Amino acid sequence: MPSDQHQHHHGCHAHKPSVEAAVERLREHHHRITGARRALLELLAQSDKPLTVAELHAGSRDHGMDLVTVYRNMEAFHAAGVVQRCPLEDGTPLFELMGENHHHHHIICRVCHHVEKLDVCVAEAFEKLATQRGFQDVTHTLELYGTCPACKG
C-alpha cells in the first residue's frame, strides 16, 4: 500500500483558523491567556487533523500540564466556541481549532481514526424544530463513522 494513502488531508484550508482569533475570543470570555493555553492553541492550529487530549498533552509536556488540566482547557475552549469537539465512536473526544463561524461535521475511520471534514451541516433543520418547540440554547453533535479506503482491504 502506498504510504501517502494514510495521510490526513482536509481539503481547502481557506478558512484556516488562527491562534490570534482564538486568543481574542477567549479574552472576550474572560479567560487568561497563559503560555500553556497558547501552546495548546498552537498545537491545534498546526495539526492537520483533530487531536485527542493525550496527543495535546504529549505535545505540550514542557508546560507542565497534566492530562486533567489539558482536558479542562479543551472544555473551556469548547464552551467559548474556540474549538470544535468531534467524538470517536467510543466517545473519546477529538478537538480542533474552529474557524470563524465555520461549523462542520466529519467522517471518521473507525479503524485508523483518519478524519475528513464534511463542509455541510444538515442538522440546522433539527435545531429549528427544537426551537419551535420552545427549547433554547440548542446545539447538536453529528459525526459519521466508516472504514476509510486505506483500511478497507
Side-chain angles (χ1 to χ4, degrees), residues 99-137:
E100 198 64 35
N101 300 320
H102 190 59
H103 174 82
H104 56 264
H105 298 284
H106 307 87
I107 176 74
I108 305 163
C109 177
R110 61 174 53 102
V111 179
C112 71
H113 299 162
H114 169 72
V115 178
E116 290 185 24
K117 284 183 187 172
L118 302 172
D119 285 315
V120 65
C121 182
V122 296
E124 275 121 5
F126 291 112
E127 287 195 1
K128 189 174 178 188
L129 284 171
T131 55
Q132 286 170 348
R133 291 172 181 232
F135 284 79
Q136 295 178 341
D137 301 320

PDB file of all heavy atoms in Angstrom, residues 99-137:
ATOM      1  N   GLY A  99     -12.650  27.665  12.852  1.00  0.00           N
ATOM      2  CA  GLY A  99     -12.595  28.929  12.129  1.00  0.00           C
ATOM      3  C   GLY A  99     -13.790  29.791  12.478  1.00  0.00           C
ATOM      4  O   GLY A  99     -14.728  29.340  13.135  1.00  0.00           O
ATOM      5  N   GLU A 100     -13.783  31.024  12.053  1.00  0.00           N
ATOM      6  CA  GLU A 100     -14.867  31.968  12.345  1.00  0.00           C
ATOM      7  C   GLU A 100     -16.185  31.464  11.778  1.00  0.00           C
ATOM      8  O   GLU A 100     -16.338  31.296  10.576  1.00  0.00           O
ATOM      9  CB  GLU A 100     -14.516  33.336  11.737  1.00  0.00           C
ATOM     10  CG  GLU A 100     -15.319  34.477  12.323  1.00  0.00           C
ATOM     11  CD  GLU A 100     -15.060  34.711  13.816  1.00  0.00           C
ATOM     12  OE1 GLU A 100     -13.919  34.523  14.266  1.00  0.00           O
ATOM     13  OE2 GLU A 100     -16.019  35.079  14.526  1.00  0.00           O
ATOM     14  N   ASN A 101     -17.150  31.167  12.655  1.00  0.00           N
ATOM     15  CA  ASN A 101     -18.476  30.708  12.241  1.00  0.00           C
ATOM     16  C   ASN A 101     -18.403  29.587  11.215  1.00  0.00           C
ATOM     17  O   ASN A 101     -19.142  29.571  10.244  1.00  0.00           O
ATOM     18  CB  ASN A 101     -19.290  31.872  11.658  1.00  0.00           C
ATOM     19  CG  ASN A 101     -19.466  32.975  12.666  1.00  0.00           C
ATOM     20  OD1 ASN A 101     -19.685  32.713  13.854  1.00  0.00           O
ATOM     21  ND2 ASN A 101     -19.362  34.205  12.225  1.00  0.00           N
ATOM     22  N   HIS A 102     -17.479  28.654  11.415  1.00  0.00           N
ATOM     23  CA  HIS A 102     -17.308  27.602  10.423  1.00  0.00           C
ATOM     24  C   HIS A 102     -17.578  26.251  11.061  1.00  0.00           C
ATOM     25  O   HIS A 102     -16.684  25.481  11.336  1.00  0.00           O
ATOM     26  CB  HIS A 102     -15.899  27.674   9.827  1.00  0.00           C
ATOM     27  CG  HIS A 102     -15.730  26.790   8.639  1.00  0.00           C
ATOM     28  ND1 HIS A 102     -16.490  26.908   7.507  1.00  0.00           N
ATOM     29  CD2 HIS A 102     -14.895  25.744   8.415  1.00  0.00           C
ATOM     30  CE1 HIS A 102     -16.125  25.996   6.634  1.00  0.00           C
ATOM     31  NE2 HIS A 102     -15.161  25.269   7.161  1.00  0.00           N
ATOM     32  N   HIS A 103     -18.848  25.981  11.313  1.00  0.00           N
ATOM     33  CA  HIS A 103     -19.274  24.718  11.908  1.00  0.00           C
ATOM     34  C   HIS A 103     -19.320  23.658  10.812  1.00  0.00           C
ATOM     35  O   HIS A 103     -19.779  23.921   9.711  1.00  0.00           O
ATOM     36  CB  HIS A 103     -20.666  24.922  12.523  1.00  0.00           C
ATOM     37  CG  HIS A 103     -21.260  23.661  13.043  1.00  0.00           C
ATOM     38  ND1 HIS A 103     -20.939  23.148  14.273  1.00  0.00           N
ATOM     39  CD2 HIS A 103     -22.147  22.801  12.489  1.00  0.00           C
ATOM     40  CE1 HIS A 103     -21.622  22.027  14.458  1.00  0.00           C
ATOM     41  NE2 HIS A 103     -22.351  21.795  13.401  1.00  0.00           N
ATOM     42  N   HIS A 104     -18.820  22.474  11.106  1.00  0.00           N
ATOM     43  CA  HIS A 104     -18.858  21.409  10.114  1.00  0.00           C
ATOM     44  C   HIS A 104     -18.883  20.068  10.839  1.00  0.00           C
ATOM     45  O   HIS A 104     -18.808  19.993  12.054  1.00  0.00           O
ATOM     46  CB  HIS A 104     -17.646  21.490   9.166  1.00  0.00           C
ATOM     47  CG  HIS A 104     -16.346  21.465   9.894  1.00  0.00           C
ATOM     48  ND1 HIS A 104     -15.656  22.600  10.217  1.00  0.00           N
ATOM     49  CD2 HIS A 104     -15.626  20.435  10.394  1.00  0.00           C
ATOM     50  CE1 HIS A 104     -14.564  22.275  10.873  1.00  0.00           C
ATOM     51  NE2 HIS A 104     -14.529  20.979  11.004  1.00  0.00           N
ATOM     52  N   HIS A 105     -19.007  19.016  10.059  1.00  0.00           N
ATOM     53  CA  HIS A 105     -19.032  17.662  10.599  1.00  0.00           C
ATOM     54  C   HIS A 105     -17.891  16.864   9.995  1.00  0.00           C
ATOM     55  O   HIS A 105     -17.129  17.372   9.181  1.00  0.00           O
ATOM     56  CB  HIS A 105     -20.394  17.022  10.322  1.00  0.00           C
ATOM     57  CG  HIS A 105     -21.500  17.779  10.986  1.00  0.00           C
ATOM     58  ND1 HIS A 105     -21.748  17.691  12.330  1.00  0.00           N
ATOM     59  CD2 HIS A 105     -22.376  18.688  10.500  1.00  0.00           C
ATOM     60  CE1 HIS A 105     -22.763  18.503  12.635  1.00  0.00           C
ATOM     61  NE2 HIS A 105     -23.140  19.118  11.547  1.00  0.00           N
ATOM     62  N   HIS A 106     -17.771  15.595  10.402  1.00  0.00           N
ATOM     63  CA  HIS A 106     -16.638  14.772   9.981  1.00  0.00           C
ATOM     64  C   HIS A 106     -17.093  13.382   9.602  1.00  0.00           C
ATOM     65  O   HIS A 106     -18.113  12.904  10.081  1.00  0.00           O
ATOM     66  CB  HIS A 106     -15.624  14.622  11.122  1.00  0.00           C
ATOM     67  CG  HIS A 106     -15.172  15.902  11.715  1.00  0.00           C
ATOM     68  ND1 HIS A 106     -15.853  16.526  12.755  1.00  0.00           N
ATOM     69  CD2 HIS A 106     -14.123  16.704  11.406  1.00  0.00           C
ATOM     70  CE1 HIS A 106     -15.213  17.654  13.061  1.00  0.00           C
ATOM     71  NE2 HIS A 106     -14.170  17.783  12.267  1.00  0.00           N
ATOM     72  N   ILE A 107     -16.271  12.730   8.774  1.00  0.00           N
ATOM     73  CA  ILE A 107     -16.359  11.282   8.575  1.00  0.00           C
ATOM     74  C   ILE A 107     -15.069  10.732   9.166  1.00  0.00           C
ATOM     75  O   ILE A 107     -13.972  11.219   8.855  1.00  0.00           O
ATOM     76  CB  ILE A 107     -16.545  10.875   7.084  1.00  0.00           C
ATOM     77  CG1 ILE A 107     -16.525   9.359   6.919  1.00  0.00           C
ATOM     78  CG2 ILE A 107     -15.534  11.525   6.161  1.00  0.00           C
ATOM     79  CD1 ILE A 107     -17.764   8.668   7.382  1.00  0.00           C
ATOM     80  N   ILE A 108     -15.195   9.780  10.085  1.00  0.00           N
ATOM     81  CA  ILE A 108     -14.063   9.279  10.858  1.00  0.00           C
ATOM     82  C   ILE A 108     -13.907   7.779  10.606  1.00  0.00           C
ATOM     83  O   ILE A 108     -14.879   7.026  10.727  1.00  0.00           O
ATOM     84  CB  ILE A 108     -14.291   9.519  12.368  1.00  0.00           C
ATOM     85  CG1 ILE A 108     -14.566  11.001  12.628  1.00  0.00           C
ATOM     86  CG2 ILE A 108     -13.114   9.016  13.192  1.00  0.00           C
ATOM     87  CD1 ILE A 108     -15.186  11.291  13.983  1.00  0.00           C
ATOM     88  N   CYS A 109     -12.678   7.361  10.266  1.00  0.00           N
ATOM     89  CA  CYS A 109     -12.433   5.931  10.069  1.00  0.00           C
ATOM     90  C   CYS A 109     -12.387   5.243  11.430  1.00  0.00           C
ATOM     91  O   CYS A 109     -11.626   5.655  12.307  1.00  0.00           O
ATOM     92  CB  CYS A 109     -11.126   5.700   9.312  1.00  0.00           C
ATOM     93  SG  CYS A 109     -10.764   3.921   9.127  1.00  0.00           S
ATOM     94  N   ARG A 110     -13.190   4.220  11.578  1.00  0.00           N
ATOM     95  CA  ARG A 110     -13.239   3.529  12.871  1.00  0.00           C
ATOM     96  C   ARG A 110     -12.024   2.619  13.089  1.00  0.00           C
ATOM     97  O   ARG A 110     -11.811   2.127  14.191  1.00  0.00           O
ATOM     98  CB  ARG A 110     -14.541   2.755  13.048  1.00  0.00           C
ATOM     99  CG  ARG A 110     -14.801   1.675  12.065  1.00  0.00           C
ATOM    100  CD  ARG A 110     -16.057   0.860  12.407  1.00  0.00           C
ATOM    101  NE  ARG A 110     -17.231   1.673  12.605  1.00  0.00           N
ATOM    102  CZ  ARG A 110     -18.204   1.840  11.705  1.00  0.00           C
ATOM    103  NH1 ARG A 110     -18.100   1.276  10.529  1.00  0.00           N
ATOM    104  NH2 ARG A 110     -19.257   2.570  11.973  1.00  0.00           N
ATOM    105  N   VAL A 111     -11.194   2.433  12.051  1.00  0.00           N
ATOM    106  CA  VAL A 111     -10.003   1.596  12.193  1.00  0.00           C
ATOM    107  C   VAL A 111      -8.782   2.447  12.540  1.00  0.00           C
ATOM    108  O   VAL A 111      -8.137   2.250  13.566  1.00  0.00           O
ATOM    109  CB  VAL A 111      -9.745   0.780  10.905  1.00  0.00           C
ATOM    110  CG1 VAL A 111      -8.491  -0.084  11.049  1.00  0.00           C
ATOM    111  CG2 VAL A 111     -10.954  -0.092  10.571  1.00  0.00           C
ATOM    112  N   CYS A 112      -8.459   3.435  11.686  1.00  0.00           N
ATOM    113  CA  CYS A 112      -7.224   4.216  11.884  1.00  0.00           C
ATOM    114  C   CYS A 112      -7.477   5.627  12.419  1.00  0.00           C
ATOM    115  O   CYS A 112      -6.545   6.368  12.674  1.00  0.00           O
ATOM    116  CB  CYS A 112      -6.448   4.314  10.567  1.00  0.00           C
ATOM    117  SG  CYS A 112      -7.234   5.381   9.327  1.00  0.00           S
ATOM    118  N   HIS A 113      -8.759   6.004  12.577  1.00  0.00           N
ATOM    119  CA  HIS A 113      -9.170   7.320  13.083  1.00  0.00           C
ATOM    120  C   HIS A 113      -8.820   8.465  12.139  1.00  0.00           C
ATOM    121  O   HIS A 113      -8.753   9.606  12.560  1.00  0.00           O
ATOM    122  CB  HIS A 113      -8.612   7.593  14.485  1.00  0.00           C
ATOM    123  CG  HIS A 113      -9.083   6.600  15.497  1.00  0.00           C
ATOM    124  ND1 HIS A 113      -8.456   6.417  16.700  1.00  0.00           N
ATOM    125  CD2 HIS A 113     -10.114   5.721  15.471  1.00  0.00           C
ATOM    126  CE1 HIS A 113      -9.080   5.469  17.371  1.00  0.00           C
ATOM    127  NE2 HIS A 113     -10.077   5.023  16.641  1.00  0.00           N
ATOM    128  N   HIS A 114      -8.593   8.144  10.870  1.00  0.00           N
ATOM    129  CA  HIS A 114      -8.435   9.177   9.840  1.00  0.00           C
ATOM    130  C   HIS A 114      -9.725  10.001   9.827  1.00  0.00           C
ATOM    131  O   HIS A 114     -10.823   9.458   9.896  1.00  0.00           O
ATOM    132  CB  HIS A 114      -8.199   8.508   8.479  1.00  0.00           C
ATOM    133  CG  HIS A 114      -8.278   9.437   7.323  1.00  0.00           C
ATOM    134  ND1 HIS A 114      -7.313  10.385   7.054  1.00  0.00           N
ATOM    135  CD2 HIS A 114      -9.225   9.568   6.367  1.00  0.00           C
ATOM    136  CE1 HIS A 114      -7.665  11.056   5.969  1.00  0.00           C
ATOM    137  NE2 HIS A 114      -8.812  10.584   5.536  1.00  0.00           N
ATOM    138  N   VAL A 115      -9.571  11.329   9.788  1.00  0.00           N
ATOM    139  CA  VAL A 115     -10.721  12.234   9.865  1.00  0.00           C
ATOM    140  C   VAL A 115     -10.753  13.130   8.635  1.00  0.00           C
ATOM    141  O   VAL A 115      -9.733  13.677   8.237  1.00  0.00           O
ATOM    142  CB  VAL A 115     -10.621  13.129  11.127  1.00  0.00           C
ATOM    143  CG1 VAL A 115     -11.776  14.115  11.187  1.00  0.00           C
ATOM    144  CG2 VAL A 115     -10.595  12.286  12.383  1.00  0.00           C
ATOM    145  N   GLU A 116     -11.923  13.268   8.043  1.00  0.00           N
ATOM    146  CA  GLU A 116     -12.094  14.224   6.950  1.00  0.00           C
ATOM    147  C   GLU A 116     -13.273  15.126   7.274  1.00  0.00           C
ATOM    148  O   GLU A 116     -14.280  14.672   7.810  1.00  0.00           O
ATOM    149  CB  GLU A 116     -12.338  13.509   5.621  1.00  0.00           C
ATOM    150  CG  GLU A 116     -11.113  12.782   5.122  1.00  0.00           C
ATOM    151  CD  GLU A 116     -11.313  12.166   3.744  1.00  0.00           C
ATOM    152  OE1 GLU A 116     -12.193  12.653   2.995  1.00  0.00           O
ATOM    153  OE2 GLU A 116     -10.585  11.212   3.426  1.00  0.00           O
ATOM    154  N   LYS A 117     -13.119  16.418   6.939  1.00  0.00           N
ATOM    155  CA  LYS A 117     -14.213  17.367   7.148  1.00  0.00           C
ATOM    156  C   LYS A 117     -15.283  17.168   6.094  1.00  0.00           C
ATOM    157  O   LYS A 117     -14.987  16.888   4.940  1.00  0.00           O
ATOM    158  CB  LYS A 117     -13.694  18.806   7.030  1.00  0.00           C
ATOM    159  CG  LYS A 117     -12.912  19.287   8.208  1.00  0.00           C
ATOM    160  CD  LYS A 117     -12.518  20.737   8.013  1.00  0.00           C
ATOM    161  CE  LYS A 117     -11.579  21.172   9.119  1.00  0.00           C
ATOM    162  NZ  LYS A 117     -11.026  22.498   8.872  1.00  0.00           N
ATOM    163  N   LEU A 118     -16.514  17.327   6.522  1.00  0.00           N
ATOM    164  CA  LEU A 118     -17.647  17.387   5.598  1.00  0.00           C
ATOM    165  C   LEU A 118     -18.191  18.806   5.713  1.00  0.00           C
ATOM    166  O   LEU A 118     -18.801  19.155   6.713  1.00  0.00           O
ATOM    167  CB  LEU A 118     -18.721  16.359   5.990  1.00  0.00           C
ATOM    168  CG  LEU A 118     -18.260  14.900   6.042  1.00  0.00           C
ATOM    169  CD1 LEU A 118     -19.361  14.025   6.620  1.00  0.00           C
ATOM    170  CD2 LEU A 118     -17.851  14.413   4.657  1.00  0.00           C
ATOM    171  N   ASP A 119     -17.918  19.628   4.712  1.00  0.00           N
ATOM    172  CA  ASP A 119     -18.281  21.044   4.807  1.00  0.00           C
ATOM    173  C   ASP A 119     -19.748  21.272   4.491  1.00  0.00           C
ATOM    174  O   ASP A 119     -20.107  22.031   3.592  1.00  0.00           O
ATOM    175  CB  ASP A 119     -17.386  21.890   3.892  1.00  0.00           C
ATOM    176  CG  ASP A 119     -16.001  22.051   4.496  1.00  0.00           C
ATOM    177  OD1 ASP A 119     -15.924  22.333   5.699  1.00  0.00           O
ATOM    178  OD2 ASP A 119     -15.020  21.877   3.769  1.00  0.00           O
ATOM    179  N   VAL A 120     -20.583  20.595   5.242  1.00  0.00           N
ATOM    180  CA  VAL A 120     -22.024  20.756   5.093  1.00  0.00           C
ATOM    181  C   VAL A 120     -22.641  20.427   6.448  1.00  0.00           C
ATOM    182  O   VAL A 120     -22.096  19.643   7.202  1.00  0.00           O
ATOM    183  CB  VAL A 120     -22.578  19.810   3.983  1.00  0.00           C
ATOM    184  CG1 VAL A 120     -22.402  18.350   4.373  1.00  0.00           C
ATOM    185  CG2 VAL A 120     -24.030  20.112   3.680  1.00  0.00           C
ATOM    186  N   CYS A 121     -23.723  21.083   6.771  1.00  0.00           N
ATOM    187  CA  CYS A 121     -24.433  20.775   8.014  1.00  0.00           C
ATOM    188  C   CYS A 121     -25.897  20.574   7.681  1.00  0.00           C
ATOM    189  O   CYS A 121     -26.549  21.492   7.194  1.00  0.00           O
ATOM    190  CB  CYS A 121     -24.262  21.890   9.045  1.00  0.00           C
ATOM    191  SG  CYS A 121     -25.105  21.475  10.592  1.00  0.00           S
ATOM    192  N   VAL A 122     -26.390  19.382   7.939  1.00  0.00           N
ATOM    193  CA  VAL A 122     -27.790  19.074   7.644  1.00  0.00           C
ATOM    194  C   VAL A 122     -28.662  19.152   8.894  1.00  0.00           C
ATOM    195  O   VAL A 122     -29.859  18.928   8.824  1.00  0.00           O
ATOM    196  CB  VAL A 122     -27.924  17.663   7.029  1.00  0.00           C
ATOM    197  CG1 VAL A 122     -27.223  17.606   5.682  1.00  0.00           C
ATOM    198  CG2 VAL A 122     -27.377  16.595   7.960  1.00  0.00           C
ATOM    199  N   ALA A 123     -28.070  19.476  10.030  1.00  0.00           N
ATOM    200  CA  ALA A 123     -28.801  19.411  11.297  1.00  0.00           C
ATOM    201  C   ALA A 123     -29.515  20.710  11.666  1.00  0.00           C
ATOM    202  O   ALA A 123     -30.246  20.747  12.650  1.00  0.00           O
ATOM    203  CB  ALA A 123     -27.861  19.005  12.423  1.00  0.00           C
ATOM    204  N   GLU A 124     -29.325  21.781  10.885  1.00  0.00           N
ATOM    205  CA  GLU A 124     -29.968  23.049  11.230  1.00  0.00           C
ATOM    206  C   GLU A 124     -31.495  22.909  11.288  1.00  0.00           C
ATOM    207  O   GLU A 124     -32.162  23.532  12.104  1.00  0.00           O
ATOM    208  CB  GLU A 124     -29.559  24.154  10.252  1.00  0.00           C
ATOM    209  CG  GLU A 124     -28.255  24.814  10.662  1.00  0.00           C
ATOM    210  CD  GLU A 124     -27.183  24.692   9.581  1.00  0.00           C
ATOM    211  OE1 GLU A 124     -27.503  24.184   8.485  1.00  0.00           O
ATOM    212  OE2 GLU A 124     -26.041  25.093   9.849  1.00  0.00           O
ATOM    213  N   ALA A 125     -32.037  22.060  10.412  1.00  0.00           N
ATOM    214  CA  ALA A 125     -33.488  21.845  10.406  1.00  0.00           C
ATOM    215  C   ALA A 125     -33.956  21.232  11.725  1.00  0.00           C
ATOM    216  O   ALA A 125     -35.016  21.585  12.245  1.00  0.00           O
ATOM    217  CB  ALA A 125     -33.884  20.946   9.238  1.00  0.00           C
ATOM    218  N   PHE A 126     -33.137  20.327  12.289  1.00  0.00           N
ATOM    219  CA  PHE A 126     -33.484  19.729  13.579  1.00  0.00           C
ATOM    220  C   PHE A 126     -33.466  20.783  14.682  1.00  0.00           C
ATOM    221  O   PHE A 126     -34.339  20.802  15.553  1.00  0.00           O
ATOM    222  CB  PHE A 126     -32.502  18.603  13.928  1.00  0.00           C
ATOM    223  CG  PHE A 126     -32.627  17.403  13.047  1.00  0.00           C
ATOM    224  CD1 PHE A 126     -31.612  17.068  12.174  1.00  0.00           C
ATOM    225  CD2 PHE A 126     -33.755  16.599  13.084  1.00  0.00           C
ATOM    226  CE1 PHE A 126     -31.707  15.964  11.351  1.00  0.00           C
ATOM    227  CE2 PHE A 126     -33.875  15.490  12.271  1.00  0.00           C
ATOM    228  CZ  PHE A 126     -32.848  15.171  11.397  1.00  0.00           C
ATOM    229  N   GLU A 127     -32.453  21.653  14.657  1.00  0.00           N
ATOM    230  CA  GLU A 127     -32.378  22.715  15.661  1.00  0.00           C
ATOM    231  C   GLU A 127     -33.576  23.647  15.558  1.00  0.00           C
ATOM    232  O   GLU A 127     -34.127  24.079  16.567  1.00  0.00           O
ATOM    233  CB  GLU A 127     -31.064  23.493  15.514  1.00  0.00           C
ATOM    234  CG  GLU A 127     -29.872  22.699  15.984  1.00  0.00           C
ATOM    235  CD  GLU A 127     -28.629  23.556  16.193  1.00  0.00           C
ATOM    236  OE1 GLU A 127     -28.689  24.781  15.996  1.00  0.00           O
ATOM    237  OE2 GLU A 127     -27.596  22.976  16.578  1.00  0.00           O
ATOM    238  N   LYS A 128     -33.984  23.942  14.327  1.00  0.00           N
ATOM    239  CA  LYS A 128     -35.147  24.814  14.129  1.00  0.00           C
ATOM    240  C   LYS A 128     -36.404  24.173  14.711  1.00  0.00           C
ATOM    241  O   LYS A 128     -37.214  24.841  15.367  1.00  0.00           O
ATOM    242  CB  LYS A 128     -35.326  25.099  12.632  1.00  0.00           C
ATOM    243  CG  LYS A 128     -36.353  26.155  12.339  1.00  0.00           C
ATOM    244  CD  LYS A 128     -36.391  26.508  10.864  1.00  0.00           C
ATOM    245  CE  LYS A 128     -37.473  27.538  10.604  1.00  0.00           C
ATOM    246  NZ  LYS A 128     -37.680  27.787   9.184  1.00  0.00           N
ATOM    247  N   LEU A 129     -36.574  22.869  14.495  1.00  0.00           N
ATOM    248  CA  LEU A 129     -37.717  22.155  15.072  1.00  0.00           C
ATOM    249  C   LEU A 129     -37.703  22.244  16.598  1.00  0.00           C
ATOM    250  O   LEU A 129     -38.751  22.432  17.227  1.00  0.00           O
ATOM    251  CB  LEU A 129     -37.695  20.682  14.653  1.00  0.00           C
ATOM    252  CG  LEU A 129     -38.132  20.373  13.230  1.00  0.00           C
ATOM    253  CD1 LEU A 129     -37.835  18.905  12.902  1.00  0.00           C
ATOM    254  CD2 LEU A 129     -39.604  20.678  13.032  1.00  0.00           C
ATOM    255  N   ALA A 130     -36.526  22.128  17.181  1.00  0.00           N
ATOM    256  CA  ALA A 130     -36.406  22.188  18.642  1.00  0.00           C
ATOM    257  C   ALA A 130     -36.751  23.577  19.156  1.00  0.00           C
ATOM    258  O   ALA A 130     -37.464  23.722  20.166  1.00  0.00           O
ATOM    259  CB  ALA A 130     -34.997  21.787  19.073  1.00  0.00           C
ATOM    260  N   THR A 131     -36.268  24.636  18.479  1.00  0.00           N
ATOM    261  CA  THR A 131     -36.555  25.998  18.930  1.00  0.00           C
ATOM    262  C   THR A 131     -38.038  26.324  18.751  1.00  0.00           C
ATOM    263  O   THR A 131     -38.621  27.044  19.557  1.00  0.00           O
ATOM    264  CB  THR A 131     -35.684  27.048  18.207  1.00  0.00           C
ATOM    265  OG1 THR A 131     -35.838  26.903  16.806  1.00  0.00           O
ATOM    266  CG2 THR A 131     -34.224  26.887  18.570  1.00  0.00           C
ATOM    267  N   GLN A 132     -38.642  25.756  17.718  1.00  0.00           N
ATOM    268  CA  GLN A 132     -40.087  25.964  17.523  1.00  0.00           C
ATOM    269  C   GLN A 132     -40.898  25.325  18.649  1.00  0.00           C
ATOM    270  O   GLN A 132     -42.023  25.727  18.910  1.00  0.00           O
ATOM    271  CB  GLN A 132     -40.537  25.397  16.167  1.00  0.00           C
ATOM    272  CG  GLN A 132     -40.100  26.257  14.992  1.00  0.00           C
ATOM    273  CD  GLN A 132     -40.341  25.576  13.643  1.00  0.00           C
ATOM    274  OE1 GLN A 132     -40.637  24.382  13.571  1.00  0.00           O
ATOM    275  NE2 GLN A 132     -40.184  26.335  12.582  1.00  0.00           N
ATOM    276  N   ARG A 133     -40.328  24.347  19.319  1.00  0.00           N
ATOM    277  CA  ARG A 133     -40.992  23.698  20.460  1.00  0.00           C
ATOM    278  C   ARG A 133     -40.663  24.400  21.764  1.00  0.00           C
ATOM    279  O   ARG A 133     -40.994  23.905  22.837  1.00  0.00           O
ATOM    280  CB  ARG A 133     -40.582  22.230  20.536  1.00  0.00           C
ATOM    281  CG  ARG A 133     -41.141  21.418  19.390  1.00  0.00           C
ATOM    282  CD  ARG A 133     -40.568  20.017  19.381  1.00  0.00           C
ATOM    283  NE  ARG A 133     -41.118  19.282  18.260  1.00  0.00           N
ATOM    284  CZ  ARG A 133     -41.694  18.088  18.367  1.00  0.00           C
ATOM    285  NH1 ARG A 133     -41.782  17.498  19.530  1.00  0.00           N
ATOM    286  NH2 ARG A 133     -42.175  17.504  17.301  1.00  0.00           N
ATOM    287  N   GLY A 134     -39.940  25.527  21.682  1.00  0.00           N
ATOM    288  CA  GLY A 134     -39.672  26.311  22.873  1.00  0.00           C
ATOM    289  C   GLY A 134     -38.333  26.049  23.540  1.00  0.00           C
ATOM    290  O   GLY A 134     -38.030  26.637  24.576  1.00  0.00           O
ATOM    291  N   PHE A 135     -37.509  25.170  22.962  1.00  0.00           N
ATOM    292  CA  PHE A 135     -36.205  24.905  23.551  1.00  0.00           C
ATOM    293  C   PHE A 135     -35.254  26.051  23.228  1.00  0.00           C
ATOM    294  O   PHE A 135     -35.339  26.653  22.163  1.00  0.00           O
ATOM    295  CB  PHE A 135     -35.622  23.587  23.021  1.00  0.00           C
ATOM    296  CG  PHE A 135     -36.264  22.362  23.624  1.00  0.00           C
ATOM    297  CD1 PHE A 135     -37.494  21.914  23.167  1.00  0.00           C
ATOM    298  CD2 PHE A 135     -35.640  21.672  24.654  1.00  0.00           C
ATOM    299  CE1 PHE A 135     -38.097  20.796  23.721  1.00  0.00           C
ATOM    300  CE2 PHE A 135     -36.230  20.558  25.208  1.00  0.00           C
ATOM    301  CZ  PHE A 135     -37.464  20.117  24.747  1.00  0.00           C
ATOM    302  N   GLN A 136     -34.354  26.336  24.177  1.00  0.00           N
ATOM    303  CA  GLN A 136     -33.379  27.416  23.981  1.00  0.00           C
ATOM    304  C   GLN A 136     -31.962  26.855  24.024  1.00  0.00           C
ATOM    305  O   GLN A 136     -31.741  25.746  24.522  1.00  0.00           O
ATOM    306  CB  GLN A 136     -33.532  28.473  25.072  1.00  0.00           C
ATOM    307  CG  GLN A 136     -34.868  29.189  25.025  1.00  0.00           C
ATOM    308  CD  GLN A 136     -35.008  30.205  26.155  1.00  0.00           C
ATOM    309  OE1 GLN A 136     -34.288  30.143  27.145  1.00  0.00           O
ATOM    310  NE2 GLN A 136     -35.921  31.130  25.990  1.00  0.00           N
ATOM    311  N   ASP A 137     -30.994  27.642  23.508  1.00  0.00           N
ATOM    312  CA  ASP A 137     -29.581  27.245  23.507  1.00  0.00           C
ATOM    313  C   ASP A 137     -29.387  25.847  22.918  1.00  0.00           C
ATOM    314  O   ASP A 137     -28.696  24.994  23.486  1.00  0.00           O
ATOM    315  CB  ASP A 137     -28.993  27.293  24.933  1.00  0.00           C
ATOM    316  CG  ASP A 137     -29.099  28.685  25.537  1.00  0.00           C
ATOM    317  OD1 ASP A 137     -28.876  29.655  24.792  1.00  0.00           O
ATOM    318  OD2 ASP A 137     -29.400  28.780  26.735  1.00  0.00           O
TER     319      ASP A 137
END
